[in-house]
Amino acid sequence: MSAQPDHAPVTPYAPAPGAPAELLAQLRADRRAERWVPAFEREWAAALEESRRTFSLAALYEVIQVWQARAASAPAVDAFLASGRDDSGFVDLAEIRRRRR
């Protein structure tokens, strides 16, 4: 019997060394830059502080991963909004929370 696990460990996400700078340049070039750049910079600063405190890069990696996903999904969101599709059938979680109070 082997002491090795019977499954492969999950490799943590590790962005390329230049990913933060490339992402920031992409956000600055976007039409949402006025809102997105300050938000990214706030989240990056908080993650940097957490990384200094915990000696872990996980928070920094998470900020990059989340913002890459936001930037990648933005064209699909824009296309949906521009299509005029009716989204009234979706659940409004804010409304549900208000009703529970």
Side-chain angles (χ1 to χ4, degrees), residues 10-77:
V10 176
T11 304
Y13 169 79
E22 291 171 12
L23 179 58
L24 187 54
Q26 181 182 358
L27 296 177
R28 285 182 175 147
D30 193 278
R31 67 178 179 80
R32 302 165 194 82
E34 187 176 305
R35 291 185 327 264
W36 279 16
V37 171
F40 172 79
E41 289 174 340
R42 278 191 307 273
E43 289 180 27
W44 183 257
L48 188 58
E49 186 57 37
E50 181 178 337
S51 292
R52 287 180 181 139
R53 187 176 44 79
T54 63
F55 298 100
S56 171
L57 298 175
L60 293 169
Y61 290 174
E62 183 179 357
V63 169
I64 293 169
Q65 192 171 22
V66 165
W67 279 95
Q68 285 173 333
R70 284 180 184 152
S73 64
V77 171

